[in-house]
Amino acid sequence: MKKLLALLALLVAVPAFAQKGDVLHLYNWNNYMSEETIKRFEGVCKCKVKQTYYSDNDELIAKLQAGGKGYDVMVPTMNAVEALIKMNALLPLDTSKLPNLKNVMPLYANTAFDPGNKYSVPYAMTITLIGYNDAKIKELGVPVDSWATIFDPAILAKIKGKVTVLDSQREVMGAALKYLGYSVNDTDDKHLQEAKEVILKAKPFWAAFNGSSYIKELTLGNIWVVHGYSNDIFQADLDAQAAKRKFRVLHALPKEGAVLALDSMVIHKSAPRPDLAHMFINFMLDGKNSADLTNMIGSGNPNTDAQQYIKPEIKQVKAVFPDAAAAKTLEMLKDFNSKQRRSVNKIWTEIKVK
Protein backbone atom coordinates (compact mmCIF):
# COMPACT_ATOMS: atom_id res chain seq x y z
CA MET A 1 0.00 0.00 0.00
CA LYS A 2 2.84 2.41 0.87
CA LYS A 3 4.48 1.74 -2.50
CA LEU A 4 1.18 2.39 -4.29
CA LEU A 5 0.64 5.68 -2.42
CA ALA A 6 4.20 6.76 -3.21
CA LEU A 7 3.66 5.99 -6.90
CA LEU A 8 0.40 7.94 -6.97
CA ALA A 9 2.10 10.90 -5.27
CA LEU A 10 4.84 10.86 -7.88
CA LEU A 11 2.34 10.85 -10.74
CA VAL A 12 0.51 13.83 -9.26
CA ALA A 13 3.80 15.71 -8.82
CA VAL A 14 4.76 15.35 -12.50
CA PRO A 15 3.06 18.05 -14.66
CA ALA A 16 0.68 16.61 -17.22
CA PHE A 17 2.43 18.76 -19.86
CA ALA A 18 5.64 16.78 -19.40
CA GLN A 19 3.91 13.66 -20.69
CA LYS A 20 3.69 15.32 -24.11
CA GLY A 21 7.30 16.51 -24.07
CA ASP A 22 8.64 19.93 -23.21
CA VAL A 23 7.41 22.64 -25.59
CA LEU A 24 8.06 26.37 -25.62
CA HIS A 25 5.20 28.28 -27.26
CA LEU A 26 6.53 31.36 -29.05
CA TYR A 27 4.09 33.97 -30.43
CA ASN A 28 6.16 35.99 -32.88
CA TRP A 29 6.30 38.12 -36.01
CA ASN A 30 6.73 36.10 -39.19
CA ASN A 31 10.33 35.64 -40.37
CA TYR A 32 11.63 37.08 -37.11
CA MET A 33 13.85 34.25 -35.95
CA SER A 34 16.18 32.02 -37.92
CA GLU A 35 15.63 28.27 -38.06
CA GLU A 36 19.26 27.78 -37.01
CA THR A 37 18.65 29.76 -33.81
CA ILE A 38 15.54 27.72 -33.01
CA LYS A 39 17.36 24.43 -33.58
CA ARG A 40 20.26 25.59 -31.42
CA PHE A 41 17.91 26.42 -28.55
CA GLU A 42 16.07 23.10 -28.90
CA GLY A 43 19.42 21.37 -28.55
CA VAL A 44 20.20 23.31 -25.38
CA CYS A 45 16.81 22.93 -23.69
CA LYS A 46 16.06 19.40 -24.99
CA CYS A 47 12.64 20.72 -25.92
CA LYS A 48 10.64 21.79 -28.95
CA VAL A 49 9.74 25.33 -29.99
CA LYS A 50 6.29 25.85 -31.50
CA GLN A 51 5.83 29.21 -33.20
CA THR A 52 2.60 30.93 -34.12
CA TYR A 53 2.58 34.29 -35.85
CA TYR A 54 0.92 37.71 -35.87
CA SER A 55 1.33 40.51 -38.40
CA ASP A 56 0.46 43.53 -36.26
CA ASN A 57 0.66 44.54 -32.60
CA ASP A 58 -3.07 45.25 -32.59
CA GLU A 59 -3.68 41.66 -33.70
CA LEU A 60 -1.59 40.38 -30.79
CA ILE A 61 -3.40 42.55 -28.25
CA ALA A 62 -6.84 41.70 -29.65
CA LYS A 63 -6.03 37.98 -29.46
CA LEU A 64 -5.10 38.27 -25.79
CA GLN A 65 -8.09 40.47 -24.98
CA ALA A 66 -10.32 37.81 -26.54
CA GLY A 67 -8.95 35.27 -24.08
CA GLY A 68 -6.06 33.85 -26.10
CA LYS A 69 -3.78 31.70 -23.94
CA GLY A 70 -1.06 29.12 -24.20
CA TYR A 71 1.79 31.46 -25.13
CA ASP A 72 5.08 31.51 -23.26
CA VAL A 73 7.20 34.17 -25.00
CA MET A 74 5.86 37.01 -27.17
CA VAL A 75 7.78 39.74 -29.05
CA PRO A 76 5.66 42.95 -29.12
CA THR A 77 6.84 46.44 -30.02
CA MET A 78 7.45 49.00 -27.26
CA ASN A 79 4.05 50.74 -27.35
CA ALA A 80 2.34 47.32 -27.33
CA VAL A 81 4.48 46.30 -24.34
CA GLU A 82 3.22 49.41 -22.58
CA ALA A 83 -0.37 48.46 -23.40
CA LEU A 84 0.14 44.85 -22.25
CA ILE A 85 1.56 46.04 -18.93
CA LYS A 86 -1.51 48.24 -18.41
CA MET A 87 -3.67 45.19 -19.22
CA ASN A 88 -1.85 43.17 -16.54
CA ALA A 89 -1.15 40.58 -19.24
CA LEU A 90 2.54 39.98 -18.50
CA LEU A 91 4.52 37.98 -15.97
CA PRO A 92 7.22 39.92 -14.09
CA LEU A 93 10.66 38.67 -15.10
CA ASP A 94 12.91 36.81 -12.68
CA THR A 95 16.19 38.58 -13.48
CA SER A 96 18.15 36.01 -11.44
CA LYS A 97 17.45 33.65 -14.36
CA LEU A 98 18.67 36.19 -16.92
CA PRO A 99 22.43 36.65 -16.37
CA ASN A 100 22.83 37.72 -20.03
CA LEU A 101 20.68 40.78 -19.35
CA LYS A 102 24.00 42.54 -18.88
CA ASN A 103 24.47 42.44 -22.67
CA VAL A 104 21.63 44.92 -23.34
CA MET A 105 22.93 48.35 -24.36
CA PRO A 106 22.19 50.95 -21.64
CA LEU A 107 20.43 53.15 -24.22
CA TYR A 108 17.74 50.48 -24.70
CA ALA A 109 17.46 49.27 -21.11
CA ASN A 110 15.27 50.81 -18.43
CA THR A 111 12.99 52.44 -21.00
CA ALA A 112 10.09 54.78 -20.28
CA PHE A 113 7.58 52.10 -21.32
CA ASP A 114 9.05 49.53 -18.90
CA PRO A 115 11.24 51.13 -16.19
CA GLY A 116 13.74 48.68 -14.76
CA ASN A 117 12.90 46.06 -17.42
CA LYS A 118 10.41 44.53 -15.01
CA TYR A 119 8.47 42.86 -17.82
CA SER A 120 10.48 43.09 -21.04
CA VAL A 121 13.90 42.47 -22.57
CA PRO A 122 14.98 44.19 -25.83
CA TYR A 123 15.21 41.82 -28.81
CA ALA A 124 15.66 43.83 -32.02
CA MET A 125 15.18 47.26 -33.55
CA THR A 126 13.84 48.63 -36.81
CA ILE A 127 13.72 52.19 -38.06
CA THR A 128 10.86 53.43 -40.22
CA LEU A 129 12.56 55.33 -43.00
CA ILE A 130 12.83 55.74 -46.77
CA GLY A 131 13.79 52.92 -49.11
CA TYR A 132 14.57 53.68 -52.73
CA ASN A 133 15.66 52.40 -56.12
CA ASP A 134 19.11 53.97 -56.43
CA ALA A 135 19.18 53.94 -60.26
CA LYS A 136 15.83 55.73 -60.68
CA ILE A 137 16.46 58.24 -57.91
CA LYS A 138 19.87 59.13 -59.37
CA GLU A 139 18.40 59.40 -62.88
CA LEU A 140 15.62 61.75 -61.72
CA GLY A 141 17.71 63.71 -59.24
CA VAL A 142 15.29 63.13 -56.38
CA PRO A 143 16.61 63.97 -52.88
CA VAL A 144 16.07 61.27 -50.23
CA ASP A 145 17.51 62.92 -47.13
CA SER A 146 14.17 64.26 -45.89
CA TRP A 147 10.55 63.24 -45.39
CA ALA A 148 9.91 65.79 -48.15
CA THR A 149 10.57 62.88 -50.53
CA ILE A 150 7.16 61.41 -49.68
CA PHE A 151 5.31 64.58 -48.63
CA ASP A 152 6.40 67.48 -50.87
CA PRO A 153 4.22 67.62 -54.03
CA ALA A 154 7.05 69.33 -55.95
CA ILE A 155 9.31 66.31 -55.39
CA LEU A 156 6.53 63.77 -55.70
CA ALA A 157 5.61 65.06 -59.16
CA LYS A 158 8.79 63.37 -60.46
CA ILE A 159 7.88 59.98 -59.00
CA LYS A 160 4.08 60.04 -59.07
CA GLY A 161 2.56 56.57 -58.86
CA LYS A 162 5.89 55.04 -57.87
CA VAL A 163 5.67 55.72 -54.12
CA THR A 164 4.04 53.76 -51.32
CA VAL A 165 3.62 54.45 -47.62
CA LEU A 166 2.85 52.02 -44.83
CA ASP A 167 -0.78 51.24 -44.11
CA SER A 168 -0.32 52.32 -40.50
CA GLN A 169 -1.86 55.38 -38.93
CA ARG A 170 0.83 55.80 -36.26
CA GLU A 171 3.68 55.38 -38.74
CA VAL A 172 2.31 57.68 -41.46
CA MET A 173 1.13 60.31 -38.98
CA GLY A 174 4.46 59.98 -37.17
CA ALA A 175 6.43 60.66 -40.37
CA ALA A 176 4.25 63.69 -41.17
CA LEU A 177 4.65 65.05 -37.64
CA LYS A 178 8.42 64.64 -37.87
CA TYR A 179 8.42 66.40 -41.25
CA LEU A 180 6.66 69.33 -39.56
CA GLY A 181 9.18 69.39 -36.72
CA TYR A 182 6.95 67.78 -34.08
CA SER A 183 7.24 64.63 -32.00
CA VAL A 184 5.85 61.37 -33.38
CA ASN A 185 3.83 61.20 -30.15
CA ASP A 186 2.37 64.71 -30.48
CA THR A 187 -1.34 64.76 -29.63
CA ASP A 188 -1.99 68.49 -30.02
CA ASP A 189 -5.14 68.81 -32.17
CA LYS A 190 -3.67 71.68 -34.20
CA HIS A 191 -0.52 69.72 -34.99
CA LEU A 192 -2.48 66.59 -35.89
CA GLN A 193 -4.61 68.62 -38.30
CA GLU A 194 -1.44 70.06 -39.88
CA ALA A 195 -0.12 66.51 -40.33
CA LYS A 196 -3.42 65.45 -41.89
CA GLU A 197 -3.20 68.28 -44.44
CA VAL A 198 0.38 67.35 -45.34
CA ILE A 199 -0.73 63.75 -45.95
CA LEU A 200 -3.79 64.71 -47.98
CA LYS A 201 -1.69 66.94 -50.28
CA ALA A 202 0.76 64.10 -50.87
CA LYS A 203 -1.75 61.26 -51.16
CA PRO A 204 -2.69 61.82 -54.86
CA PHE A 205 0.94 61.15 -55.79
CA TRP A 206 1.17 57.84 -53.91
CA ALA A 207 0.49 54.50 -55.55
CA ALA A 208 -0.90 52.93 -52.36
CA PHE A 209 -0.88 52.47 -48.64
CA ASN A 210 1.11 49.25 -48.58
CA GLY A 211 2.47 47.38 -45.59
CA SER A 212 2.50 43.88 -47.03
CA SER A 213 3.89 43.67 -50.57
CA TYR A 214 6.18 46.67 -50.90
CA ILE A 215 9.30 44.49 -50.59
CA LYS A 216 8.29 42.64 -53.75
CA GLU A 217 7.31 45.84 -55.56
CA LEU A 218 10.69 47.41 -54.76
CA THR A 219 12.50 44.28 -55.88
CA LEU A 220 10.64 44.18 -59.19
CA GLY A 221 11.25 47.87 -59.83
CA ASN A 222 7.53 48.66 -59.93
CA ILE A 223 7.90 51.07 -57.01
CA TRP A 224 10.85 53.45 -56.67
CA VAL A 225 10.36 54.97 -53.20
CA VAL A 226 8.79 53.53 -50.05
CA HIS A 227 8.05 54.57 -46.52
CA GLY A 228 8.96 51.31 -44.81
CA TYR A 229 10.88 49.35 -42.22
CA SER A 230 14.68 49.17 -42.35
CA ASN A 231 14.77 45.35 -42.24
CA ASP A 232 12.23 45.10 -45.09
CA ILE A 233 14.32 47.42 -47.24
CA PHE A 234 17.39 45.32 -46.47
CA GLN A 235 15.48 42.23 -47.64
CA ALA A 236 14.33 43.99 -50.81
CA ASP A 237 17.94 44.79 -51.67
CA LEU A 238 19.01 41.18 -51.10
CA ASP A 239 16.17 40.02 -53.37
CA ALA A 240 17.09 42.56 -56.06
CA GLN A 241 20.71 41.42 -56.02
CA ALA A 242 19.68 37.76 -56.17
CA ALA A 243 17.49 38.55 -59.19
CA LYS A 244 20.42 40.41 -60.80
CA ARG A 245 18.47 43.67 -61.11
CA LYS A 246 20.30 46.67 -62.54
CA PHE A 247 19.65 48.66 -59.39
CA ARG A 248 20.12 48.47 -55.64
CA VAL A 249 17.50 49.15 -52.98
CA LEU A 250 19.02 51.50 -50.42
CA HIS A 251 18.07 53.04 -47.07
CA ALA A 252 17.79 56.76 -46.32
CA LEU A 253 17.29 58.12 -42.82
CA PRO A 254 15.45 61.48 -43.03
CA LYS A 255 17.28 64.36 -41.38
CA GLU A 256 14.14 65.30 -39.40
CA GLY A 257 14.26 61.96 -37.55
CA ALA A 258 12.11 58.85 -37.56
CA VAL A 259 10.34 56.18 -35.56
CA LEU A 260 12.52 53.63 -33.80
CA ALA A 261 10.68 50.40 -33.06
CA LEU A 262 12.14 48.36 -30.24
CA ASP A 263 10.72 44.86 -30.13
CA SER A 264 11.05 43.11 -26.79
CA MET A 265 10.64 39.60 -25.40
CA VAL A 266 7.95 39.25 -22.74
CA ILE A 267 6.30 36.35 -20.92
CA HIS A 268 2.53 35.98 -20.86
CA LYS A 269 1.09 35.91 -17.34
CA SER A 270 -0.48 32.49 -17.93
CA ALA A 271 2.55 31.01 -19.71
CA PRO A 272 2.46 27.18 -19.52
CA ARG A 273 6.26 27.06 -19.16
CA PRO A 274 7.72 30.20 -17.58
CA ASP A 275 10.86 28.18 -16.81
CA LEU A 276 11.49 27.52 -20.50
CA ALA A 277 10.52 31.12 -21.28
CA HIS A 278 13.26 32.48 -19.01
CA MET A 279 15.73 29.98 -20.46
CA PHE A 280 14.82 31.10 -23.98
CA ILE A 281 15.11 34.82 -23.22
CA ASN A 282 18.52 34.36 -21.61
CA PHE A 283 19.60 32.23 -24.59
CA MET A 284 18.56 35.00 -27.01
CA LEU A 285 20.52 37.55 -25.00
CA ASP A 286 23.72 35.69 -25.84
CA GLY A 287 25.57 37.73 -28.45
CA LYS A 288 25.91 35.02 -31.08
CA ASN A 289 22.24 34.07 -30.89
CA SER A 290 21.16 37.70 -30.93
CA ALA A 291 23.29 38.44 -34.01
CA ASP A 292 21.57 35.68 -36.02
CA LEU A 293 18.50 37.85 -36.64
CA THR A 294 20.50 40.89 -37.72
CA ASN A 295 22.54 38.83 -40.15
CA MET A 296 19.36 37.26 -41.53
CA ILE A 297 17.09 40.31 -41.98
CA GLY A 298 19.25 43.39 -41.36
CA SER A 299 17.56 44.47 -38.15
CA GLY A 300 19.16 46.84 -35.68
CA ASN A 301 20.54 45.17 -32.58
CA PRO A 302 20.41 46.44 -28.97
CA ASN A 303 22.83 43.77 -27.72
CA THR A 304 26.42 44.82 -26.97
CA ASP A 305 27.85 41.30 -27.18
CA ALA A 306 26.15 40.71 -30.56
CA GLN A 307 28.13 43.44 -32.32
CA GLN A 308 31.20 41.24 -32.80
CA TYR A 309 29.13 38.64 -34.69
CA ILE A 310 27.26 40.99 -37.05
CA LYS A 311 28.38 41.02 -40.68
CA PRO A 312 30.50 44.14 -41.44
CA GLU A 313 28.44 45.02 -44.52
CA ILE A 314 25.35 45.31 -42.30
CA LYS A 315 27.04 47.20 -39.48
CA GLN A 316 28.23 49.87 -41.92
CA VAL A 317 24.65 50.76 -43.00
CA LYS A 318 24.17 53.96 -41.03
CA ALA A 319 20.42 53.95 -41.56
CA VAL A 320 20.28 50.66 -39.61
CA PHE A 321 23.06 51.48 -37.15
CA PRO A 322 22.86 55.29 -36.89
CA ASP A 323 25.63 57.35 -35.35
CA ALA A 324 25.08 59.18 -32.06
CA ALA A 325 23.82 62.36 -33.73
CA ALA A 326 21.26 60.55 -35.88
CA ALA A 327 20.19 58.33 -32.99
CA LYS A 328 19.12 61.43 -31.06
CA THR A 329 16.51 62.19 -33.74
CA LEU A 330 14.81 58.81 -33.33
CA GLU A 331 11.71 58.36 -31.19
CA MET A 332 9.79 55.37 -29.90
CA LEU A 333 6.01 55.37 -30.25
CA LYS A 334 4.11 55.63 -26.99
CA ASP A 335 0.78 54.02 -26.20
CA PHE A 336 -2.08 56.51 -26.53
CA ASN A 337 -4.94 56.72 -24.06
CA SER A 338 -8.46 56.02 -25.32
CA LYS A 339 -9.26 59.69 -26.01
CA GLN A 340 -6.05 60.23 -27.98
CA ARG A 341 -6.61 56.99 -29.87
CA ARG A 342 -10.13 58.04 -30.89
CA SER A 343 -8.83 61.39 -32.12
CA VAL A 344 -6.11 59.84 -34.28
CA ASN A 345 -8.49 57.13 -35.54
CA LYS A 346 -10.93 59.83 -36.69
CA ILE A 347 -8.19 61.69 -38.57
CA TRP A 348 -6.93 58.45 -40.14
CA THR A 349 -10.43 57.58 -41.34
CA GLU A 350 -10.73 61.00 -42.93
CA ILE A 351 -7.39 60.50 -44.67
CA LYS A 352 -8.27 57.07 -46.04
CA VAL A 353 -11.70 58.02 -47.43
CA LYS A 354 -10.59 61.19 -49.24
Side-chain angles (χ1 to χ4, degrees):
M1 179 59 74
K2 288 183 179 180
K3 288 183 179 180
L4 179 59
L5 290 174
L7 178 59
L8 289 173
L10 180 61
L11 290 173
V12 171
V14 177
F17 199 84
Q19 296 175 15
K20 301 178 182 178
D22 289 341
V23 178
L24 174 81
H25 291 270
L26 175 61
Y27 197 23
N28 199 4
W29 301 88
N30 192 33
N31 195 39
Y32 215 38
M33 190 162 295
S34 75
E35 287 299 322
E36 291 76 14
T37 310
I38 292 293
K39 289 177 182 176
R40 198 180 305 139
F41 177 70
E42 289 178 335
V44 170
C45 73
K46 307 303 178 187
C47 67
K48 289 293 181 182
V49 176
K50 182 177 180 181
Q51 286 199 80
T52 49
Y53 306 99
Y54 53 91
S55 58
D56 185 85
N57 282 296
D58 290 338
E59 179 185 342
L60 162 66
I61 291 173
K63 187 80 172 282
L64 298 180
Q65 287 178 324
K69 293 181 179 179
Y71 309 118
D72 293 306
V73 177
M74 305 179 294
V75 195
T77 309
M78 64 272 152
N79 51 315
V81 172
E82 188 176 1
L84 291 170
I85 291 172
K86 292 176 182 177
M87 288 166 52
N88 191 31
L90 303 180
L91 186 74
L93 298 173
D94 182 348
T95 55
S96 69
K97 297 178 180 178
L98 303 173
N100 287 333
L101 193 59
K102 67 181 186 297
N103 292 335
V104 175
M105 294 178 181
L107 181 63
Y108 304 109
N110 192 33
T111 56
F113 65 86
D114 183 20
N117 293 99
K118 185 177 179 181
Y119 297 97
S120 66
V121 172
Y123 173 66
M125 305 176 305
T126 58
I127 300 173
T128 311
L129 35 65
I130 294 170
Y132 63 96
N133 179 315
D134 71 332
K136 282 295 181 182
I137 291 309
K138 184 177 181 180
E139 174 191 331
L140 298 170
V142 174
V144 291
D145 65 338
S146 165
W147 285 120
T149 307
I150 65 167
F151 290 126
D152 184 348
I155 294 174
L156 286 167
K158 296 182 179 181
I159 50 177
K160 184 176 181 180
K162 298 295 183 179
V163 183
T164 66
V165 298
L166 291 169
D167 193 7
S168 165
Q169 62 173 352
R170 290 299 304 274
E171 291 286 8
V172 176
M173 289 291 291
L177 287 165
K178 272 293 190 185
Y179 177 54
L180 292 166
Y182 305 131
S183 165
V184 297
N185 296 303
D186 198 321
T187 56
D188 182 280
D189 287 338
K190 181 176 180 293
H191 297 166
L192 292 176
Q193 288 299 320
E194 287 178 39
K196 183 182 83 169
E197 291 307 313
V198 163
I199 294 168
L200 288 176
K201 287 177 182 178
K203 185 182 173 185
F205 297 90
W206 298 340
F209 290 91
N210 187 345
S212 57
S213 63
Y214 70 93
I215 296 176
K216 180 180 178 182
E217 297 301 321
L218 268 175
T219 302
L220 292 173
N222 295 336
I223 292 298
W224 302 338
V225 174
V226 303
H227 162 242
Y229 301 116
S230 53
N231 54 304
D232 286 345
I233 295 160
F234 175 84
Q235 185 61 54
D237 186 44
L238 289 183
D239 292 347
Q241 290 180 67
K244 298 187 179 348
R245 305 292 182 195
K246 294 181 180 180
F247 58 83
R248 295 287 301 273
V249 178
L250 303 182
H251 301 78
L253 182 60
K255 60 188 177 185
E256 300 92 350
V259 170
L260 170 70
L262 181 64
D263 292 328
S264 297
M265 296 176 285
V266 299
I267 303 176
H268 191 247
K269 67 177 182 181
S270 62
R273 294 301 301 269
D275 55 334
L276 291 180
H278 280 89
M279 186 186 299
F280 178 78
I281 291 173
N282 192 61
F283 174 87
M284 291 308 304
L285 285 170
D286 174 81
K288 189 175 187 305
N289 300 323
S290 177
D292 281 353
L293 180 70
T294 299
N295 290 331
M296 181 177 75
I297 68 168
S299 62
N301 197 304
N303 189 300
T304 303
D305 190 47
Q307 305 308 306
Q308 62 184 310
Y309 302 107
I310 296 172
K311 295 175 182 177
E313 61 268 30
I314 299 176
K315 285 185 71 174
Q316 70 183 10
V317 180
K318 291 185 178 180
V320 177
F321 290 91
D323 58 28
K328 289 180 181 178
T329 70
L330 304 178
E331 288 186 88
M332 296 186 194
L333 294 174
K334 296 179 180 178
D335 184 42
F336 283 166
N337 61 38
S338 57
K339 180 181 178 182
Q340 293 165 338
R341 200 174 294 116
R342 283 194 300 272
S343 178
V344 175
N345 285 345
K346 182 176 181 294
I347 289 173
W348 185 245
T349 299
E350 292 169 354
I351 288 169
K352 294 297 286 287
V353 299
K354 286 188 178 180

